[in-house]
Amino acid sequence: MERKFTRILEKWEKDGAKKPLMVTGARQTGKTWIIRDFCGRQYPDYIYINLEEQAGLRSVFDGDLDPDTILRGMEQMLGRKISPDVPIFIDEIQASETAVTALKYFCEDKRDFRVIAAGSLLGVKIHRFHSSFPVGKVQIESLYPMDFEEFLTACGEEILLDGIRDSFNSRKPLPDGVHERALRLYHDYLFTGGMPESVADYLNHGKDIFQMDKRILDNLQPAYMADMTKYVTSPQESVKILETWKSVPRQLARENPKFRYNEIRKGMGKRDFWGPLDWLDASGMIYRVNKVELPEAPLRGYEDPGSFKVYLSDVGILTNLCGIQYKDMRQDARNMYKGGIVENYVYQQMKINHPDLYYFKPSESMEIDMLFEDDRGIIPLEIKAGRHRRSTSLNNYREKYHPPFAIRLSEINFGYADGLFSVPLYAAFCI
């Protein structure tokens, strides 16, 4: 399946690969597949090593970390000659702290090395990395689950994609039949999510959402939890991480979805759960969106890190955790999770283009689901799960703060009137 991340890999190579490339991201997002596919197409030969599966290779990084010594050790372990111009892909690099440190010396060497690493930076982000991290000596990029644009491409819907982009740019509606077809695929995506294995299974079953193997998403949870044991200090910490993760659907279902520590476990608070929440954030399993006190530029200057919402990294995982059925997401359906699932979906699409997203809730009469900033100013974005047109909070915001325009995401077709841009939920990736 085509991934937009390939462009990052191609640009890295085109720019001369001056620094080793480190690809991070949550488990099962396709890091290994996309890098191996790129290397296989880009180079006549390359070296692949996995520091979790090939534990003996970690010893290559236990001595001197100059590239010649490392390459000589790899040759002896792999039983083949390795010239400096052969690219090296080091998978699960977090299994060896000294392997991460060694990237610095590949960067500083005058020879034209091509080194790509993939894995988790959990050990670094939660301050359990004891070796010297190569700050400024590596290019770090994150791979996210497939967004809806990639999903449509995988489904062979390039013509539909072109139509969605054209309507977004012209702000004119799609034909009703096309709009309804795009909505159906959007509803399917809410259940498949963007994990490549889940999307592939959907395609292998003829794009029939009811024939999908739900065990694929069921099995992600124990896989994630098994991975955490490599980084936690005690079984009690594992339990707290799991409790925190499982609390996200409940928290998103509330009228005010501000994250509350005391709702994870009664009688306990921030002191007990800030560590597990930080672990989940560092692993890429959740995203945090901070509140801003004022919608003024720069938004980052007005953020309140103590007030935030939490989303899961993939809407398919969230829908699976909620345990709802396909019919529960239809236009006329009502359930406690629907609004949170749709909001999670929008954030997943928006995060790729807008890494700095915020929400604004100064009073009960005004709540803006998302704010982002670009060269036009600060843009408010309201999210509706169905086809409702009433926008009291957004109207109050526009009257008070006078944004250049506002966006309402819903199941309504494209349209623009009086500074309000109506964007169908399936076109969130266009924003």
Side-chain angles (χ1 to χ4, degrees):
M1 294 181 289
E2 183 180 342
R3 301 296 305 274
K4 289 186 281 189
F5 192 84
T6 301
R7 301 170 198 166
I8 294 176
L9 296 169
E10 291 171 345
K11 187 176 186 304
W12 171 77
E13 171 59 35
K14 183 180 179 181
D15 291 345
K18 296 180 178 65
K19 297 178 181 179
L21 182 66
M22 180 177 287
V23 181
T24 67
R27 290 281 180 184
Q28 307 299 315
T29 52
K31 296 186 294 294
T32 300
W33 183 90
I34 196 170
I35 297 171
R36 296 200 72 167
D37 178 70
F38 168 77
C39 289
R41 290 184 291 102
Q42 184 71 39
Y43 310 115
D45 186 21
Y46 72 98
I47 300 295
Y48 173 77
I49 62 174
N50 185 311
L51 295 185
E52 281 196 348
E53 295 178 359
Q54 300 164 288
L57 278 164
R58 297 177 205 167
S59 62
V60 169
F61 302 95
D62 289 343
D64 292 338
L65 295 180
D66 65 281
D68 287 327
T69 301
I70 291 172
L71 291 179
R72 188 160 52 249
M74 285 186 182
E75 288 178 340
Q76 294 165 356
M77 289 293 295
L78 299 175
R80 59 162 290 181
K81 295 293 291 183
I82 304 174
S83 61
D85 61 341
V86 174
I88 300 171
F89 173 22
I90 307 173
D91 205 359
E92 303 293 356
I93 194 171
Q94 79 284 345
S96 170
E97 292 184 7
T98 50
V100 176
T101 303
L103 297 178
K104 170 186 176 181
Y105 301 100
F106 279 100
C107 177
E108 294 176 342
D109 196 285
K110 294 181 179 179
R111 287 167 290 181
D112 192 22
F113 286 109
R114 296 286 193 275
V115 180
I116 305 178
S120 166
L121 282 183
L122 270 172
V124 179
K125 292 185 177 181
I126 58 178
H127 312 298
R128 293 176 188 166
F129 189 86
H130 305 293
S131 302
S132 174
F133 186 77
V135 176
K137 302 295 182 180
V138 294
Q139 178 180 331
I140 301 175
E141 302 286 352
S142 295
L143 178 64
Y144 301 106
M146 298 172 69
D147 67 7
F148 187 60
E149 183 178 18
E150 291 176 308
F151 174 81
L152 288 180
T153 301
C155 291
E157 297 287 352
E158 289 85 356
I159 296 175
L160 177 59
L161 267 173
D162 288 341
I164 291 172
R165 295 189 192 102
D166 288 345
S167 284
F168 179 85
N169 292 327
S170 66
R171 298 179 175 180
K172 294 180 179 179
L174 284 166
D176 289 343
V178 177
H179 172 69
E180 295 300 327
R181 184 164 178 270
L183 281 176
R184 181 184 63 77
L185 288 164
Y186 149 74
H187 285 134
D188 285 1
Y189 177 83
L190 294 180
F191 284 81
T192 66
M195 290 303 189
E197 185 181 2
S198 179
V199 175
D201 187 71
Y202 170 78
L203 298 176
N204 290 337
H205 284 94
K207 295 186 280 191
D208 184 345
I209 196 71
F210 300 105
Q211 297 299 316
M212 267 188 61
D213 187 352
K214 294 183 180 179
R215 292 172 297 179
I216 292 173
L217 292 175
D218 288 340
N219 292 337
L220 275 176
Q221 178 178 314
Y224 279 156
M225 296 306 118
D227 190 49
M228 86 169 59
T229 60
K230 304 167 188 172
Y231 302 99
V232 299
T233 57
S234 68
Q236 291 76 19
E237 189 177 9
S238 295
V239 171
K240 287 184 177 180
I241 292 171
L242 182 58
E243 285 181 303
T244 304
W245 196 53
K246 285 188 170 181
S247 80
V248 173
R250 297 196 309 272
Q251 305 238 19
L252 285 175
R254 282 192 286 101
E255 185 71 24
N256 179 4
K258 172 188 172 182
F259 191 84
R260 297 176 184 173
Y261 291 98
N262 59 11
E263 289 202 7
I264 301 173
R265 190 193 302 177
K266 290 183 179 179
M268 303 184 80
K270 179 179 179 179
R271 182 182 62 182
D272 304 291
F273 286 102
W274 71 266
L277 189 71
D278 193 37
W279 189 100
L280 290 165
D281 193 15
S283 71
M285 292 169 62
I286 64 167
Y287 304 132
R288 276 194 265 202
V289 179
N290 290 338
K291 177 183 174 182
V292 289
E293 298 296 339
L294 281 174
E296 295 184 6
L299 285 172
R300 186 175 295 181
Y302 295 93
E303 69 178 319
D304 175 10
S307 298
F308 55 89
K309 294 191 278 189
V310 171
Y311 301 105
L312 295 189
S313 61
D314 180 67
V315 69
I317 295 175
L318 175 61
T319 306
N320 180 265
L321 277 179
C322 291
I324 66 174
Q325 303 299 314
Y326 192 84
K327 61 181 175 59
D328 297 325
M329 294 303 295
R330 291 185 308 197
Q331 177 191 346
D332 56 347
R334 293 186 178 183
N335 67 78
M336 62 186 292
Y337 294 119
K338 186 176 181 180
I341 288 172
V342 173
E343 197 169 309
N344 200 117
Y345 156 81
V346 172
Y347 184 76
Q348 184 181 341
Q349 312 307 303
M350 293 279 293
K351 180 177 174 61
I352 297 173
N353 295 326
H354 300 278
D356 293 327
L357 290 167
Y358 304 91
Y359 78 99
F360 182 55
K361 186 175 173 59
S363 65
E364 292 301 318
S365 63
M366 188 188 301
E367 179 177 358
I368 304 302
D369 298 314
M370 290 182 193
L371 290 173
F372 67 92
E373 186 177 355
D374 63 17
D375 55 5
R376 296 165 295 185
I378 294 170
I379 313 300
L381 190 150
E382 184 177 56
I383 302 168
K384 298 286 189 182
R387 306 194 186 194
H388 309 292
R389 295 181 181 272
R390 187 177 179 184
S391 303
T392 303
S393 286
L394 189 58
N395 291 337
N396 291 340
Y397 178 92
R398 294 174 68 196
E399 288 177 8
K400 184 171 183 177
Y401 295 103
H402 309 289
F405 66 97
I407 298 173
R408 180 182 61 207
L409 278 160
S410 69
E411 294 196 2
I412 298 172
N413 210 330
F414 289 100
Y416 189 86
D418 301 323
L420 179 61
F421 187 15
S422 177
V423 178
L425 285 159
Y426 54 73
F429 68 87
C430 294
I431 299 173

